[in-house]
Amino acid sequence: MIFVFRHDWNRLAKLYSTQEAPPQNFSRMQSGSVGLVYYKATLNVGITPQGIYLSIFPLFSFGLTPLLIPWSAIRKIEPANQLFIERFRLYLSSPKVTLILNKDILESGKEFLASQGFEWI
């Protein structure tokens, strides 16, 4: 179970691990997916000019390092709505991992996404 929990996060950490402090617009205890794992109210997300900052609530992080995924690593975005929650699925180019994040979190990153050629949906 712990291997599955850590697998995709560790793959991302090999390329995008960061020691930077969380950004000012840091949203704590959000829900979203990293690869196959759904983090219910334990995912912390921040938007920076460099990319998407992700970390896990410390009590549940099990040593998983924070990530800063650059905007250039996103190759495709599509809606991933569930019931009345607007979400987006972000496909990363390397490693081939998907993220699912709420639209309201990504809202502050729409200008950065536009600079990468993604129209805001």
Side-chain angles (χ1 to χ4, degrees), residues 67-121:
L67 306 173
L68 182 58
I69 300 169
W71 299 111
S72 60
I74 301 170
R75 65 178 170 88
K76 180 180 172 184
I77 299 175
E78 66 184 18
N81 299 331
Q82 182 180 29
L83 294 176
F84 301 106
I85 302 171
E86 291 184 281
R87 304 180 326 163
F88 286 104
R89 181 176 290 112
L90 291 75
Y91 294 88
L92 303 182
S93 54
S94 180
K96 294 202 183 294
V97 172
T98 59
L99 307 176
I100 298 177
L101 300 172
N102 289 344
K103 179 183 178 183
D104 59 338
I105 292 172
L106 291 173
E107 189 79 37
S108 62
K110 65 183 176 182
E111 68 184 73
F112 307 121
L113 289 166
S115 72
Q116 295 298 315
F118 296 108
E119 290 186 31
W120 190 247
I121 301 171

Side-chain angles (χ1 to χ4, degrees), residues 2-31:
I2 291 179
F3 174 76
V4 171
F5 178 71
R6 299 175 64 101
H7 179 69
D8 286 326
W9 194 283
N10 284 338
R11 289 176 56 208
L12 290 169
K14 288 179 183 175
L15 295 172
Y16 308 123
S17 181
T18 185
Q19 298 301 317
E20 289 185 29
Q24 289 182 346
N25 64 349
F26 192 57
S27 299
R28 296 181 191 280
M29 300 184 77
Q30 299 295 309
S31 295

